[in-house]
Amino acid sequence: MLPTVRVSSSRVHLFNLHPSAGSRHTQKRLGRGRSSGLGKTSGRGHKGQKARSGNGKPKAGFEGGQTTISKLFPKKGFTNSINGKTYAPVNLDRIAHWIEQGRLTSSPENPITARELVMSGCIHNARDGVKLLGDGAENLKVQIHITPSRASKSAIEAVEKSGGSVFCRYYNRLSMYDCVKGRTDHIDAAPTRRQDIEWYTNWRNRGYLAPESIAKMPSVQERWRQLSDQLTRFKNEEFAKR
């Protein structure tokens, strides 16, 4: 809104500045008598839904009292959003292309983690972890050493066939944040749910707590050895016989 200037004065002063014509309107005053034009019912009319106090707008999805469309379709299945996780997918062909361009480097001692993937722009958000997928496995010609949260069977076979390695590591929200930010002042998270314990102690999934992984990984923390021993002990335990 640009101010207008009175033409009568040759100079611009504070006393001859005014808003543009039609840019300002008089405030609507309701319930100030019939002569005001908005008295009595204050422009709401007689009775009706929108004339009632506190019920001027129905809730979203309201269809006048009939059965709403959200209730007409049956609901099937169950998703536990509390324990559910959203993994950031990344394919083998994308990682191989990044390595060929020199934007990613990997070695058995320094594998690719979520931090390298985010910092290089290979993925934009690590979310709850990174899942390695096998698209482009038939054209994989470079060695990839990576530590994702999950990996598909086809991706594991392709990486190991080309001389690389895959070891899946458990992350919770805090440990994933520390991994992306490069912080090392916190203790790494350990799986606590039964599903996670069984998954990360299974060599078929290349879990980092499996005894085979502990023996094959080039750099293993002492805490991982203790967790592997404690979390896999139930497989050899037997109940006492009477």
Side-chain angles (χ1 to χ4, degrees), residues 1 21 33-34 43 45 49 58 74 83 106 117 155 161 169 172 202 209 230:
M1 179 180 67
R34 296 187 179 184
Q49 185 181 34
N83 297 325
S106 65
L117 293 175
K161 185 177 180 181
R169 183 176 171 184
N172 60 3
N202 192 343
L209 295 179
Q230 294 173 2

Side-chain angles (χ1 to χ4, degrees), residues 31-129:
R32 294 298 183 268
R34 296 187 179 184
S35 60
S36 66
L38 293 171
K40 192 185 176 184
T41 56
S42 301
R44 291 180 177 269
H46 296 279
K47 302 181 180 179
Q49 185 181 34
K50 295 184 179 180
R52 305 300 180 184
S53 176
N55 193 25
K57 184 182 293 184
K59 64 181 181 179
F62 182 71
E63 298 182 12
Q66 70 179 8
T67 304
T68 59
I69 191 172
S70 61
K71 293 183 179 180
L72 290 176
F73 292 94
K75 278 72 176 175
K76 295 183 180 180
F78 174 75
T79 301
N80 192 344
S81 58
I82 297 177
N83 297 325
K85 290 187 176 183
T86 303
Y87 296 104
V90 59
N91 290 296
L92 289 175
D93 53 358
R94 186 175 181 87
I95 296 179
H97 182 60
W98 251 243
I99 293 176
E100 291 175 355
Q101 288 186 336
R103 302 172 67 176
L104 277 176
T105 57
S106 65
S107 63
E109 293 75 17
N110 296 311
I112 299 173
T113 62
R115 174 178 172 79
E116 285 74 23
L117 293 175
V118 173
M119 296 297 290
S120 64
C122 190
I123 60 175
H124 301 292
N125 190 355
R127 299 182 180 274
D128 295 324

Side-chain angles (χ1 to χ4, degrees), residues 6 8-9 11-18:
R6 291 182 180 179
S8 60
S9 179
R11 299 182 62 183
V12 177
H13 298 281
L14 293 177
F15 64 84
N16 58 11
L17 289 176
H18 292 275

Side-chain angles (χ1 to χ4, degrees), residues 117-165:
L117 293 175
V118 173
M119 296 297 290
S120 64
C122 190
I123 60 175
H124 301 292
N125 190 355
R127 299 182 180 274
D128 295 324
V130 177
K131 184 170 184 179
L132 183 64
L133 302 178
D135 286 3
E138 62 279 0
N139 300 323
L140 185 63
K141 299 179 181 179
V142 297
Q143 292 185 359
I144 297 177
H145 302 277
I146 188 170
T147 306
S149 297
R150 295 291 178 97
S152 64
K153 294 182 179 179
S154 60
I156 294 173
E157 293 177 359
V159 170
E160 293 181 347
K161 185 177 180 181
S162 63
S165 62

